[in-house]
Each structure stands twice: as structure tokens, then as C-alpha cells.
Amino acid sequence: MDGFTVIAEPTRRAIVDRLRIAESDVGALVGALELSQSLVSKHLRVLRDAGVVEAQIVGRRRVYRLAADPLPDVVAWVRPYLRTWTSSFDRLDRALEDEDAP
């Protein structure tokens, strides 16, 4: 499954957003997202199969975190836009500085 399909689903995006902040086990995700354990587990399985998250067994818990390179196809697609936006913001910054100059 490609990265776009993975993040097209709002619950998976919410899980990825939570794991971006800190690693978490299923129970904490269930509480934070107010979803059933089975639904969170289903989405975590999809995310794990797609290489977006990794799981580590810690005692009796499975702790999830974002993979090192979780959505490479999405990042590759967005990269040209980021360069364009950065360039546009740099030009705007220079124009504003020129406007403020005496």
C-alpha cells in the first residue's frame, strides 16, 4: 500500500500524528483517540505493513513508533512544492526588507 493510501484514512492520520509526538502502546492510543482497541489495532497493522510504524515488545506491551522513513513516496511528492514555497517566502522576505529599508 502506498503512503497516500495509508494517510487517506483519517484514523490512520491521527495515529501517525500521535506517534510523531511520542511512541505509544495500543492502550494509550485507544484512550487518546477514543476508539475501540480492535479498530486501533487494525489501523496499526496497516501502518506496520506499509512500513510507516514499527513495533517493539516491551514486557507485555507492544510499543509503536514512527519508522525512520515512514512515508517516502509522500515526501518525494511534496519536496518540489516545499522548494517552490521556500523560494516564494524568501522572495517575500526580501521584498519586505526592501520596503522597510530607509
Side-chain angles (χ1 to χ4, degrees), residues 10-11 13-37 39-40 44:
T11 301
R13 281 197 313 272
I15 291 171
V16 168
D17 283 342
R18 299 289 303 181
L19 295 178
R20 179 181 49 84
I21 297 165
E23 60 184 32
S24 182
D25 64 8
V26 175
L29 289 169
V30 165
L33 300 172
E34 299 179 350
L35 299 169
S36 70
Q37 187 273 331
L39 185 60
V40 171
L44 283 168

Side-chain angles (χ1 to χ4, degrees), residues 57-62:
I57 306 273
V58 178
R60 294 177 48 188
R61 300 178 314 138
R62 187 174 295 217

Side-chain angles (χ1 to χ4, degrees), residues 97-102:
E97 286 175 1
D98 290 347
E99 199 173 272
D100 287 341

Side-chain angles (χ1 to χ4, degrees), residues 1 21-22 28 66 89:
M1 182 179 300
I21 297 165
L66 284 183
F89 284 131

Side-chain angles (χ1 to χ4, degrees), residues 29-78:
L29 289 169
V30 165
L33 300 172
E34 299 179 350
L35 299 169
S36 70
Q37 187 273 331
S38 62
L39 185 60
V40 171
S41 292
K42 176 187 118 183
H43 287 298
L44 283 168
R45 187 175 325 108
V46 171
L47 291 167
R48 192 175 63 236
D49 291 347
V52 177
V53 301
E54 300 170 341
Q56 179 181 8
I57 306 273
V58 178
R60 294 177 48 188
R61 300 178 314 138
R62 187 174 295 217
V63 178
Y64 292 87
R65 67 174 169 264
L66 284 183
D69 189 19
L71 298 163
D73 49 348
V74 175
V75 171
W77 183 79
V78 169

